[in-house]
Amino acid sequence: TAYEIGVRLVGSEMCIRDRSDMAESPEASASSCSVDVHTHIFCWGENPEEGYLSENTRKMWKTRLILRFSGMLKESGETISEKMRNRLIRHIQTSGLDYAVVLAQDAVYREDGSRNDPDTHFYVSNDHVFSLAKECPQVLPGCSINPIRSDALQELERCREAGARLVKLHTAIQGVDPSRPEFDPFYKLANELGVVLMFHTGWEHSCKVVSQQFTDPLKLERPLDHGGPVIAAHCGTCAWYDKEQYYPRFVEMMNRYENLYGDTAIMASMNRWFSLLRMSREEDWLKRRILHGSDYPFPTARLPFLLRTGLFPRERKNPFDLDLLVKSSFKFGPGYAGQVLKLLGVEPSPPPPGA
């Protein structure tokens, strides 16, 4: 009988069962795991406390396109939010992933620290991703905290105590300029608590933004100077039609800071597919700090990668598996799909007695 290895989240009671082909050492086990560090859950807004999309966002052509052609509306569930939740869990559970980090999305805040709901077009509460993690043990909660909010430090402590080891700041949508000195206490506390900080980098297209300039990787200097691990989501890549290209600045920052990592979220889409090939030509030391991320539910393009995947790969039946198949073909390194476990403090436990 195939044995199972329990994998525990240090400081938390959340755990999953890993596959039987994992090696015995923690390092080898981590590298043989498959982890998606950049996964989204959306809420339509039936229960605004859980999360919502603004009316303008719900009317966007991208939103309507995903709803219409993804099969989302055929999913089980009484509300659109329930359908989104059930679809995500089903895709995770039927995929080859060991973990998926599901990200919350904090609101926009005014300079006085109060919440600005009229200008918040995409919101998912931290408690919502915690409930997902409780329902599906393959989910690791990725919280989101806007450091402008008046209770940012308290919320960071609360999320860490609840088991989260990663917090995302969406620079463009939340209006967060990472270089602001008043965020130093937030960065300092995250480092002390062992929380990985993820920042959106590269131009944003899925939602109304406060400023695209906040997505410049050069603005990550201040949080990086605090010494903790920082993930530049999307590696500063932009669409081919954007006015600026921030990827060269991401490479510059990777040269300057050994605690900087990048993820490949959205890079298999039609407007950024060239980014994967470009990054695969970088030196090995840089590629070793690239983490796997899909940006689910945004779909993986098939056409640009047909020569790598073939016409009908079996992985096409699951969006997580297809995305990992495409990106693994670029050979970023042996730890590409699993090394984020070490950053998050996830350790393989010994096999159970008699296994």
Side-chain angles (χ1 to χ4, degrees), residues 238-251:
C238 301
W240 59 268
Y241 49 80
D242 286 331
K243 296 178 181 179
E244 296 184 80
Q245 296 296 323
Y246 288 153
Y247 177 73
R249 300 178 188 182
F250 166 75
V251 174

Side-chain angles (χ1 to χ4, degrees), residues 104-230:
Q105 177 78 9
D106 203 358
V108 175
Y109 286 79
R110 301 179 183 90
E111 285 303 315
D112 64 1
S114 62
R115 185 162 145 171
N116 185 354
D117 285 321
D119 287 336
T120 298
H121 298 280
F122 167 29
Y123 172 70
V124 177
S125 71
N126 291 325
D127 287 339
H128 190 56
V129 296
F130 281 126
S131 70
L132 279 169
K134 184 178 294 187
E135 181 176 351
C136 178
Q138 286 169 269
V139 168
L140 295 181
C143 289
S144 178
I145 302 172
N146 188 328
I148 300 174
R149 60 189 285 177
S150 58
D151 64 341
L153 298 182
Q154 295 91 328
E155 181 66 4
L156 179 56
E157 289 182 326
R158 185 186 78 88
C159 288
R160 178 60 187 88
E161 290 175 1
R165 296 300 296 268
L166 182 147
V167 168
K168 182 182 179 183
L169 294 79
H170 202 300
T171 51
I173 295 177
Q174 293 171 345
V176 175
D177 180 351
S179 65
R180 290 173 60 172
E182 55 265 43
F183 296 159
D184 277 339
F186 184 86
Y187 300 150
K188 182 177 183 291
L189 181 59
N191 190 29
E192 292 173 350
L193 295 175
V195 172
V196 177
L197 294 178
M198 173 186 284
F199 293 84
H200 175 95
T201 61
W203 279 40
E204 170 65 35
H205 304 96
S206 65
C207 188
K208 185 177 180 180
V209 304
V210 176
S211 174
Q212 298 286 13
Q213 280 63 50
F214 293 166
T215 71
D216 186 340
L218 295 181
K219 287 184 171 289
L220 299 181
E221 185 177 45
R222 185 172 292 275
L224 284 163
D225 282 340
H226 284 267
V230 170

